[in-house]
Amino acid sequence: MAPKTLGAKELALLRHIADRDAATVGEVAERFGVPNDLARSTVLTMMERLRKKGFLNRRLVDGVYRYQARASSAELTSGAIRRFVERNLGGSVSPFVAYLSESTALTDAELKELEDLVARLQSAKKKESR
């Protein structure tokens, strides 16, 4: 079975829901739909598609459906990055590393994060080889 795909708006909506315990269509339409110029019916359609794809659960509470993400926002982002690397970069992070090496837009904090990441990867690699 092919992996389920997510569009950019779907991922944004899913992360919005994941950042909350659970949400109704009305709540999501108000807090996510309005700022993104999406009608309530569009939000409902998107939420139902995400539910059918297996990204959302739905339960009836006091006569209203409450939707809950099946993964955290961080897990959703990680999955989106993994799919991007696999689909667009042939599974290799080298093109992304090359892009970063040419980028002048990285902040000091982002550079520190990258340094910490490299240190963790090197440490894990050393443990693996023992």
Side-chain angles (χ1 to χ4, degrees):
M1 185 171 141
K4 296 173 183 95
T5 60
L6 282 174
K9 284 267 192 211
E10 283 181 318
L11 180 59
L13 177 108
L14 190 52
R15 289 183 64 203
H16 174 85
I17 295 168
D19 288 339
R20 286 139 188 84
D21 184 37
T24 66
V25 171
E27 292 165 349
V28 175
E30 181 181 322
R31 295 186 187 118
F32 179 84
V34 171
N36 288 286
D37 203 27
L38 299 173
R40 185 184 190 285
S41 60
T42 302
V43 171
L44 170 61
T45 299
M46 289 174 69
M47 290 173 70
E48 277 301 304
R49 282 187 185 149
L50 289 168
R51 186 179 68 84
K52 289 176 183 169
K53 288 180 178 183
F55 291 104
L56 290 176
N57 289 328
R58 178 182 81 173
R59 62 186 164 88
L60 197 58
V61 177
D62 297 328
V64 178
Y65 282 115
R66 296 197 63 78
Y67 292 78
Q68 189 169 29
R70 296 183 72 181
S72 70
S73 189
E75 291 167 331
L76 293 167
T77 300
S78 177
I81 292 167
R82 182 179 52 256
R83 286 187 299 278
F84 173 82
V85 168
E86 290 169 358
R87 183 176 55 238
N88 298 88
L89 304 178
S92 172
V93 296
S94 294
F96 184 67
V97 172
Y99 165 78
L100 287 176
S101 72
E102 297 169 2
S103 177
T104 59
L106 293 173
T107 66
D108 289 343
E110 290 169 329
L111 285 171
K112 176 71 173 122
E113 272 187 79
L114 287 171
E115 289 169 354
D116 292 346
L117 171 63
V118 169
R120 283 194 312 270
L121 290 171
Q122 288 173 333
S123 176
K125 190 83 167 164
K126 284 178 186 175
K127 287 178 185 175
E128 234 177 56
S129 64
R130 289 182 191 165

